[in-house]
Amino acid sequence: MDDGLTRREMIGASALAACLAGSFGVDAQAQVLPSPDASARRRMRLEHWRFHLGHAADVEKDFGFGRDQRTFAKAGWETADASSLKFDDSGWAEVIVPHDWAVALPFAPPKAPPGKDNNDARAAHGFKAIGRDFPANSVGWYRTPIAVTAADKGRCIWLEFDGVFRDAIVFVNGYIVHRNASGYAPFSVRIDEFLDYDGGPNAVTVRCDATLGEGWFYEGAGIYRHVDLVAAEPVHIPQLGTFVRTELRSDGALVHTSTEVLNSGSTPASAVLRQSILGPRTNTALPDTTLKLAPGERRVIEQEVLVKTPQFWSLEEPNLYTLHSQLESGGTPIDDFQTRFGIRSIKFDAERGFFLNGKPVKLLGTCNHQDHAGVGTGIPDTLHRWRVAQLKEMGSNAWRSAHNPPATALLEACDEMGMLMICEQRINSSSDEALSELERMIRRDRNHPCVILWSLGNEEPHQATDRGARINAELQEHVRRLDPTRPTTFAMDKGWDTGVGRVVDVLGFNYRTNQIEAYHARHPEQPVYGSETGSTVATRGEYANDPKRHILRAYDTEHPWWATTAEEWWTIAAERPYISGGFVWTGFDYRGEPTPFAQFPSISSQFGILDTCGFPKDDYYYYRAWWRPDRPLVHLLPHWNWPGHEGKPVEVWAQGNTEEVELRLNGRSLGRKPMPRNRHLEWRVPYAPGRLEAIGYNRGRVAARDVRETTGAPHAVQLLADRRIARGGEAVILNAAVVDSRGRVVPTASNLLRFAANGGEIIGVGNGNPNSIEPDVASQRRAFNGFAQAILRVGRASGPVDISVSTQSLASARLRIAAL
Ligand code: GAL
């Protein structure tokens, strides 16, 4: 966010797209920059691309071969056929970015007998047919035409990529204008010199090569985050050119602003910088600055202003401010740049933990990768928000972006919804390239109030060595220069007393929560927290281990040897104020790294508190109970459909936070027990079909209830759309449940559900089953233990969207979303 256009306005701009003849596909539409008079700076989101999987032409004409291997012979000429304006891409698929091509690929079981090790490349990436064994699926090409007119000549024009997986080559009209290796770091490319300004199409082409991965988890492939085209006058505020810091004082908040102004033109220029701070209630003007800039000069203007009675950014009220910067020349506005920030203070105290705005806040966190059912890493903004909302509802207040810089859209959601964030560098190295990636992350993310820590790395082999210490000391120096306001951290799994542990400000413990106490005694001056904690593995809605089927019971009992249950780590962390909190591995199940079953067809991990669709597993309610203790809750498990088990004992658990819980079966009390703090209750109940009920009491009064009833057979489907999150968004998350004739979710149902939408497009489906190899990019999916999900893209639909879900034999469901 840096130029004040809302998403709707950006879409409005691209809706101006004109039909242009040329060699692009017959119905190609150049995305046209809005008229220069509309505003001094223009930004357009490039959503519409043509996509080709594999080599673009035949291999001989593809990149690196060219005609007679002339790719690098002459700039802009025969670099790669598909990068030229003349290339006919009419046969390529039309896609909308964010786009992950890997999620649409088939699954590929290993050829050799499976090993135990989930570091196996195929298993690690979720058994998708991508990587070294699948060269044709590992390269992807994107093209989009953009049009500029004579009025744009002389302006500084660039492309901003928030993240492309991976090894991206950006071409404009056949010229190689940029190469970017990282699959996670943002980058930008100046392109004005390569454009034709006659209003006709210019070819922007991106070649991605996802043969090599960076992670041991599913990473997706392609342009999976936003791309913007930006144009500004020669004198302008460059991308990421502002930094706002706030300092709380007794008389208000002192706001420091650093603003870069660049003269990218070839003549001297003068301008006036006019700035103000726009708040939720009041605006505050800063003094004007008159500038004279030589050609190519970049000047940094530092200002300070006191905001009296500031509205703090907090978890409950995430108030946001905007630094509005305008440049004027001879009375004419030449630039307009908006920087969103929050007024808040953060502090890590070695004895008392984390503080936000002077108040202690335990970090109730989860670690997450960046994929979701159906869409992989190509996550619509609305889905980012929905995922944050699911975790907030559980009581979580912090997110660790493991193990890479997050999408800007996710940071914006965290800013707006009140979720703290740890941003993590991908490559833990002080090489020039890694330093540049770190710098790009920090400069992009340092104005986001949600960001509280810069994580330099995770479990690197050099973590406990002198060499590791030297590398990370260099990275830390770099962080201090770019952002002196936030501490550094590192997630270590051993050797905390040495190496990196002696360098970073706040030390992360991956697992081993029971070792933190002794460490704290040895190093009482260093703040500590659990950078990866817990790690119960569970299959949603299953209650008996079945290793042959790769199924894990969803009681809080199963975990790999290096990890613990939810209850084990939280009972340690909750009671020790010096532990700033912890980040459960993980919030959501993620594709790849299938654990504990590394063999096909396990395509995702089972660590999540929620499954890959964001449907809660039972542990969700353990955390919900103890992370929101002010809201009475009881939750019962398992479900109560056990035909054939009549009279046999069933292990019944109640999660919850009321003082006492009573269990009743078919109206008969099975006893009332006090709920131990941060724990759960258990009964062994001889199974009889009917109604199992938990009643939670506070001070002797009923405060919460939960019921499991033996249901009838599947009878109908129900459909639910989260309208709160959908409002104003480009996507809707549709959850379908299979219910019996009395509207109760059938907890074992696996009916095939078909989704259809009139006015939108179903872009992916899922059901949270870690062992399902049904296609993701489809409009039908089997329910898994009662539930399935579809992601609907509504794009520019302005009218109502009609959605239906049907099955062969059950009553179907319909839903109309009136206006978004
Ligand atoms: C950690 C690692 C994570 C994930 C996890 C699985 O060691 O940092 O990325 O692999 O183990 O338990």
Side-chain angles (χ1 to χ4, degrees), residues 305-525:
V305 68
L306 185 73
V307 172
K308 294 180 190 146
T309 56
Q311 308 294 302
F312 294 128
W313 184 89
S314 68
L315 300 173
E316 303 75 27
E317 274 186 59
N319 289 303
L320 291 166
Y321 283 74
T322 300
L323 169 66
H324 186 202
S325 308
Q326 288 169 299
L327 286 169
E328 275 181 23
S329 175
T332 309
I334 54 167
D335 201 5
D336 195 294
F337 192 94
Q338 307 209 12
T339 310
R340 207 165 66 164
F341 68 98
I343 297 181
R344 55 105 177 105
S345 71
I346 55 165
K347 187 175 118 184
F348 280 87
D349 183 283
E351 271 310 313
R352 293 178 303 151
F354 176 71
F355 286 74
L356 179 65
N357 301 327
K359 294 192 201 116
V361 171
K362 195 93 172 174
L363 297 175
L364 309 174
T366 63
C367 298
N368 292 296
H369 285 315
Q370 49 177 8
D371 60 295
H372 190 90
V375 294
T377 56
I379 302 229
D381 293 3
T382 312
L383 183 53
H384 280 301
R385 299 177 66 82
W386 188 80
R387 285 162 60 91
V388 173
Q390 287 295 85
L391 291 172
K392 265 203 86 107
E393 176 62 30
M394 183 177 83
S396 175
N397 60 21
W399 179 305
R400 173 177 170 220
S401 175
H403 303 291
N404 48 264
T408 297
L410 173 59
L411 289 174
E412 287 173 351
C414 291
D415 282 349
E416 288 163 20
M417 298 169 78
M419 172 72 78
L420 303 165
M421 169 64 78
I422 301 181
C423 286
E424 191 157 298
Q425 161 82 334
R426 176 75 282 284
I427 308 279
N428 182 242
S429 164
S430 50
S431 68
D432 287 350
E433 189 170 1
L435 282 178
S436 153
E437 288 170 16
L438 176 72
E439 173 156 352
R440 282 179 264 149
M441 172 178 81
I442 293 180
R443 285 171 58 92
R444 187 196 60 172
D445 300 346
R446 63 190 175 175
N447 291 317
H448 289 276
C450 63
V451 178
I452 54 168
L453 283 171
W454 300 117
S455 172
L456 304 180
N458 175 73
E459 294 187 3
E460 293 291 327
H462 62 213
Q463 63 187 341
T465 67
D466 281 356
R467 191 204 290 158
R470 280 195 303 277
I471 289 170
N472 283 280
E474 173 63 21
L475 289 172
Q476 182 159 274
E477 274 296 295
H478 212 61
V479 171
R480 301 262 200 263
R481 274 196 296 275
L482 294 162
D483 178 12
T485 72
R486 294 176 178 89
T488 58
T489 186
F490 192 105
M492 296 182 78
D493 65 334
K494 54 176 172 255
W496 293 271
D497 295 82
T498 54
V500 180
R502 308 278 39 84
V503 173
V504 291
D505 301 315
V506 180
L507 194 55
F509 275 68
N510 278 5
Y511 315 100
R512 290 96 186 166
T513 316
N514 59 358
Q515 295 183 32
I516 300 182
E517 182 153 310
Y519 180 86
H520 174 64
R522 295 195 296 279
H523 303 280
E525 73 300 335

